[in-house]
Amino acid sequence: MKEQRRKERRRRFVAAALVTVLLPPAARAADLMSGAKARGTLRIAVEGTYPPFSFKDPNSGQLTGYDVEVGRLVAAGLKLAPQFVLTEWSAILPAVSSGKVDAAISQVIITPERERAFDFSVPYTYSRFQLIVRKNERATYRSLDDLKGRKLGVRAGSVFEQRARGVKGIEVKRYPAVPENLQDLAFGRIDASLDGSLMVGYLLKHSALPIKAGPQVGEEARIGVAIRKGNPQLKAAVDKILDDARADGTLRRLSLKWLGVDASSATRAPGAP
């Protein structure tokens, strides 16, 4: 009898697995959306240590920032409550692909490699790659090539790390989050840091560390909401929410509030031609 029950459970498991594999993408998307609707929440991965995008307010202890407000905007458009899941940067995209979260809204730069593994919303932010250096830095860096033979700090698993490793001769040092990166820069443990221009602008206004903006290097960066591959209904819904928010000025308002500039479109991105 026990053996028969085990066989029956195994048969049901295999049948369920086959159904999941054979379902068309639209059906799988409906399952993901229905799961979120059943919970009543949209699970959103954010770093929580990356001002001004997602961080804990030092006075209230509450999670806040530009990406947090965008996450609330998207969740509200889906008629769901946002459930923010604090995740180290290197684990954010794996959390999306594994189903631990429904989406990542954490300054995820859209690249061809990532588009092969994930679905992305329309961009909601545009930025640039930029170096950060010490205030007393005497060396002149015009590009990443000028950092050959020097130490460059980057967030582990980021596009910034990939870009740095593409230049032979740079000693790349990986960090789980921005604070450690910039502290090492201030104390001379690394020679420069590479991050997004929007974050650099914020730091110059709010950080007491002896650092300054270096040159912008590389092309424009498009940032979107990352979603597990094969969920076109969720992607379409998120796209509409963001397009509407751009059209009615909501994204511009949030961008000006948190970033001090309008980074909601390519033509207005900092450093855009």
Side-chain angles (χ1 to χ4, degrees):
M1 183 66 70
K2 290 183 179 180
E3 181 62 24
Q4 288 179 341
R5 284 199 293 268
R6 279 197 297 269
K7 287 182 179 179
E8 179 62 20
R9 284 197 297 269
R10 189 180 304 114
R11 185 191 66 77
R12 290 176 181 176
F13 175 80
V14 171
L18 285 173
V19 168
T20 301
V21 171
L22 295 174
L23 276 174
R28 291 198 296 271
D31 287 343
L32 181 60
M33 186 76 84
S34 63
K37 294 290 186 181
R39 289 191 311 272
T41 61
L42 183 71
R43 300 169 302 177
I44 305 168
V46 295
E47 281 187 81
T49 56
Y50 191 46
F53 303 103
S54 63
F55 63 103
K56 289 189 177 180
D57 184 281
N59 297 316
S60 67
Q62 297 298 308
L63 189 66
T64 190
Y66 176 68
D67 282 343
V68 172
E69 290 212 42
V70 172
R72 290 183 177 131
L73 173 73
V74 170
L78 295 172
K79 295 181 171 53
L80 298 170
Q83 179 185 342
F84 294 103
V85 181
L86 300 185
T87 312
E88 278 192 4
W89 170 255
S90 60
I92 280 182
L93 289 179
V96 175
S97 59
S98 68
K100 182 179 179 181
V101 297
D102 302 308
I105 304 179
S106 192
Q107 290 301 288
V108 183
I109 294 175
I110 303 169
T111 67
E113 294 78 14
R114 286 176 175 171
E115 286 183 303
R116 286 193 286 269
F118 300 91
D119 284 335
F120 280 92
S121 71
V122 294
Y124 66 91
T125 310
Y126 294 81
S127 183
R128 295 273 176 175
F129 290 69
Q130 187 163 16
L131 291 172
I132 311 169
V133 297
R134 287 182 294 278
K135 278 189 175 179
N136 62 356
E137 179 59 68
R138 295 182 179 180
T140 301
Y141 304 128
R142 295 182 179 86
S143 69
L144 290 182
D145 287 332
D146 294 329
L147 282 157
K148 290 179 179 179
R150 297 180 181 270
K151 296 179 181 178
L152 178 64
V154 294
R155 281 183 290 152
S158 67
V159 171
F160 306 112
E161 179 183 0
Q162 294 172 13
R163 182 61 52 83
R165 292 194 183 281
V167 181
K168 292 183 179 180
I170 295 179
E171 184 178 341
V172 179
K173 189 168 182 182
R174 309 167 81 238
Y175 293 86
V178 170
E180 296 93 332
N181 185 335
L182 299 181
Q183 287 166 12
D184 272 10
L185 173 62
F187 287 111
R189 300 187 184 101
I190 57 177
D191 297 296
S193 175
L194 181 62
D195 215 293
S197 59
L198 297 174
M199 192 277 287
V200 176
Y202 177 87
L203 284 174
L204 294 180
K205 293 181 179 180
H206 297 87
S207 176
L209 293 172
I211 57 177
K212 66 180 180 180
Q216 293 184 359
V217 292
E219 70 283 357
E220 179 181 77
R222 299 175 301 133
I223 291 110
V225 178
I227 302 167
R228 194 170 69 215
K229 200 74 173 175
N231 287 283
Q233 289 183 5
L234 180 58
K235 171 180 160 44
V238 173
D239 282 350
K240 185 178 186 309
I241 293 165
L242 294 176
D243 282 338
D244 289 348
R246 181 177 289 103
D248 68 16
T250 299
L251 284 181
R252 180 179 184 277
R253 176 179 57 79
L254 291 178
S255 182
L256 290 171
K257 172 184 175 180
W258 288 104
L259 311 175
V261 294
D262 181 7
S264 63
S265 66
T267 56
R268 296 170 182 161

